[in-house]
Amino acid sequence: MKKTTMKDIAQKANVSIATVSYVLNSVNNQTIPEATRKHILQIAKELHYIPNLTARSLAKKKTGLIGILLNKSSHTPYWKRQGYLAVVESLEKLLTAAGYHTLLLSLNAEKPSLDIIVERELDAAFLIDVRDETFYSISINFTIGVPLILIDSKIKDKMFKQIFYNYQEAIQVALTKADDTNSDALKTSSEEVCFIMENFNNQSLVAHILQGIHDLGFSRDHIFIIDDLHQLDSISQSGSYKKAIVINEFLGNHIEKMNMFDKLTVICTCNCPEILVNKNTQVITFKEDKSTSAFSIMENLINHIDFFKQSNNIYSIGVKR
């Protein structure tokens, strides 16, 4: 099958090859009517146009290579691995559809090897669940101006875009679902509600979630951060709690099988609510997955230099109502 060229698109759209090039390469200093731009993009899609990354790299001094940096260790539990997989698969699909090449790199969470970052020229990179103390040793290996987008990581530096779910909103909604009557009744029965959550390499995000639960009137005694399934046994044996709010559906699926609680509400962080099989389990999902938000931010950073200057660098994804 003959490969579609810009000339083919230009002929069908009845525009110049230069105009097609400006649109497909997102050249922002050209005034092209929005209708023409959309028409060209639609024809490119219909003709299954595949960008020539080598040519684009030469023209824009870009490599077309996007890094996904995943921080994990040998003892990462399966529910964390599933969460990472969901993010990586979704990101890779979006990047491929946009004509990028993807470099997936697993970094040792304790002692990340950074040689490959130095060797490769990346147009942008996503850094997933990075440890607070190793973030800067990673970030200094990127050239100034290369977008570095953090997923499930919270840092104080406003230079970097950070994406995570709005956990406090999700917990508020979960509490409403966990309560059979109203908020006043919930306050009187709060002693029987516990929170079970996955852990993160990024402890600033953990602290952020814990603070959100504390702000809703619950003490640290109600919260269980799970690194190993055996930690669930002590909760089960205590019998102190009748209701549970669980962060991570793979962890929630395991708790379903244990039949530990009268009422279970699960906040889905891996975009896989279908694995929750108990019809009585209350399910909380979000408006979009983290990968979709992260990809959109990456494209804005690559194509619009002013996007770097925006003061808003934390993107908190809200709950789907």
Side-chain angles (χ1 to χ4, degrees):
M1 183 180 292
K2 179 179 175 291
K3 183 178 178 180
T4 300
T5 66
M6 288 189 185
K7 183 178 180 181
D8 299 326
I9 298 170
Q11 288 176 341
K12 188 166 183 178
N14 196 27
V15 297
S16 69
I17 296 176
T19 300
V20 173
S21 178
Y22 292 145
V23 171
L24 297 183
N25 288 304
S26 301
V27 176
N28 299 316
N29 60 358
Q30 298 293 320
T31 304
I32 298 173
E34 182 64 16
T36 301
R37 190 185 70 82
K38 288 182 178 179
H39 184 50
I40 289 170
L41 292 174
Q42 180 60 37
I43 291 174
K45 183 177 180 180
E46 291 172 359
L47 296 179
H48 305 290
Y49 174 73
I50 300 174
N52 184 327
L53 288 178
T54 302
R56 187 169 73 178
S57 297
L58 291 171
K60 303 179 71 176
K61 295 184 180 180
K62 300 287 185 181
T63 64
L65 185 64
I66 307 296
I68 301 177
L69 280 57
L70 185 61
N71 287 260
K72 61 181 182 180
S73 60
S74 57
H75 53 267
T76 301
Y78 80 90
W79 57 87
K80 292 298 300 178
R81 296 197 302 270
Q82 293 294 335
Y84 293 151
L85 177 62
V87 175
V88 170
E89 279 194 337
S90 181
L91 266 178
E92 195 275 334
K93 187 180 296 184
L94 291 166
L95 290 166
T96 299
Y100 293 102
H101 293 310
T102 305
L103 172 67
L104 174 61
L105 177 62
S106 292
L107 299 178
N108 184 303
E110 289 82 15
K111 294 182 179 179
S113 175
L114 307 172
D115 292 344
I116 195 167
I117 299 175
V118 177
E119 294 169 2
R120 300 296 186 109
E121 293 184 6
L122 303 176
D123 286 352
F126 301 96
L127 188 53
I128 302 173
D129 191 16
V130 64
R131 288 199 174 196
D132 309 59
E133 63 271 20
T134 61
F135 169 72
Y136 286 104
S137 66
I138 295 172
S139 64
I140 60 173
N141 289 277
F142 289 88
T143 304
I144 294 176
V146 173
L148 181 57
I149 301 109
L150 282 72
I151 300 174
D152 283 339
S153 303
K154 193 173 190 296
I155 61 169
K156 294 180 180 179
D157 197 325
K158 292 184 178 181
M159 281 183 61
F160 302 97
K161 308 295 184 183
Q162 306 163 47
I163 299 166
F164 42 83
Y165 289 132
N166 189 331
Y167 288 99
Q168 185 168 30
E169 181 189 13
I171 292 164
Q172 286 176 320
V173 174
L175 284 170
T176 303
K177 288 181 178 289
D179 180 40
D180 297 315
T181 52
N182 55 54
S183 58
D184 292 333
L186 180 63
K187 291 176 183 177
T188 61
S189 62
S190 62
E191 289 300 315
E192 60 187 33
V193 179
C194 72
F195 301 85
I196 301 173
M197 62 176 282
E198 60 181 316
N199 205 352
F200 293 88
N201 290 319
N202 186 263
Q203 289 300 295
S204 293
L205 181 58
V206 173
H208 174 73
I209 297 171
L210 293 179
Q211 185 62 51
I213 297 173
H214 177 73
D215 290 344
L216 293 171
F218 292 87
S219 71
R220 181 66 177 83
D221 294 339
H222 288 263
I223 307 166
F224 301 89
I225 302 175
I226 303 300
D227 291 297
D228 187 286
L229 290 177
H230 293 300
Q231 293 171 289
L232 294 173
D233 294 337
S234 60
I235 308 173
S236 178
Q237 291 167 8
S238 72
S240 302
Y241 302 100
K242 295 182 179 180
K243 303 174 184 178
I245 294 171
V246 179
I247 298 177
N248 184 295
E249 59 266 44
F250 286 91
L251 197 54
N253 175 264
H254 187 84
I255 293 171
E256 277 187 332
K257 296 172 184 176
M258 295 180 69
N259 197 26
M260 294 169 58
F261 304 100
D262 294 341
K263 193 147 192 175
L264 182 66
T265 305
V266 179
I267 298 170
C268 297
T269 58
C270 303
N271 204 29
C272 299
E274 63 274 10
I275 69 167
L276 298 168
V277 296
N278 191 323
K279 65 179 180 180
N280 294 319
T281 300
Q282 300 283 345
V283 178
I284 309 291
T285 58
F286 294 89
K287 292 177 181 177
E288 63 180 11
D289 65 55
K290 292 168 285 192
S291 301
T292 303
S293 294
F295 176 79
S296 176
I297 290 169
M298 181 208 76
E299 291 228 296
N300 275 319
L301 288 169
I302 288 176
N303 296 317
H304 306 289
I305 192 66
D306 288 344
F307 201 73
F308 276 99
K309 302 175 183 178
Q310 290 187 352
S311 58
N312 176 31
N313 287 297
I314 294 180
Y315 297 82
S316 184
I317 303 171
V319 170
K320 183 186 292 183
R321 301 284 182 166

